[in-house]
Amino acid sequence: DIRDPETGRSLRSFHGHDADVNLVAFSADGSMLATAGDDGAVKVWDPATGKELWSFEGPMGQVWGPSFSPDGSLLAASWTDEAVVRLFDLANGTTVREIGPLGAISLGTSFSPDGRRLGIATFDEGGVVVDVRSGEEVLSLRGNELGDSDIDWSPDGRWVATSGWDGNVRIWGAGAGALRFTL
């Protein structure tokens, strides 16, 4: 359901998934909306028309943490039952990369502002940052025994924030992955 931010009135409503919708994300330019659901699918929509542009399904489990690359060319999403994050090319609908299994359920994903890295929040003591091209881990953002539920980058790319199941937010330096602050 897309609503007017000032009045709360529904502008567009459409059926997206056959089970609960877990998370949603807009592309940076607002031309696409991703929805992730318990039905094992992540879908990409044109929010102006409600038309489904793409649907991607994994072999099993819930989908969480959709995020678009800054240029809107890639979509990342997390299949929690498999502990796998998949990257999709939105020009042709193909799977670009599969990252994992990560050893623990993964939830949130977030591309760096330059689109070269992907942050992934996990229950495995925190988060990781991987190189988008290779899928290899480049930073470990671990330090929370209870794990993290979400991850995001500062607009200038200097910081990565993780939200933990322990009730804390941790701010990491994006260069070396050093923990800077715990809120």
Side-chain angles (χ1 to χ4, degrees):
D1 197 28
I2 298 176
R3 296 183 174 267
D4 183 290
E6 293 181 20
T7 67
R9 184 176 61 86
S10 179
L11 299 175
R12 180 165 299 11
S13 185
F14 50 92
H15 178 77
H17 295 266
D18 292 329
D20 289 344
V21 175
N22 295 324
L23 288 173
V24 298
F26 275 102
S27 61
D29 67 0
S31 68
M32 293 179 283
L33 173 69
T35 59
D38 279 355
D39 59 1
V42 60
K43 297 183 179 195
V44 179
W45 308 87
D46 178 337
T49 66
K51 178 183 175 193
E52 183 179 306
L53 304 174
W54 296 106
S55 181
F56 304 105
E57 296 184 22
M60 60 185 262
Q62 300 175 350
V63 185
W64 289 81
S67 64
F68 289 95
S69 61
D71 66 2
S73 67
L74 298 174
L75 175 73
S78 173
W79 274 258
T80 58
D81 291 352
E82 299 174 77
V84 168
V85 172
R86 291 184 175 90
L87 297 174
F88 302 100
D89 184 320
L90 296 177
N92 58 27
T94 60
T95 303
V96 174
R97 178 153 332 293
E98 192 170 284
I99 301 164
L102 298 168
I105 296 171
S106 56
L107 292 177
T109 67
S110 180
F111 282 91
S112 62
D114 64 9
R116 296 187 313 192
R117 295 193 208 172
L118 180 71
I120 303 168
T122 75
F123 283 150
D124 189 17
E125 297 185 19
V128 297
V129 175
V130 299
D131 180 272
V132 169
R133 287 188 185 175
S134 69
E136 297 296 319
E137 184 177 316
V138 294
L139 292 177
S140 173
L141 306 178
R142 293 185 174 92
N144 176 6
E145 292 179 16
L146 298 177
D148 289 332
S149 60
D150 206 1
I151 191 165
D152 203 5
W153 294 80
S154 63
D156 63 5
R158 292 181 51 212
W159 311 101
V160 181
T162 57
S163 62
W165 291 105
D166 62 356
N168 292 309
V169 172
R170 289 171 176 80
I171 309 295
W172 308 82
L179 179 61
R180 299 297 305 241
F181 309 102
T182 300
L183 311 173

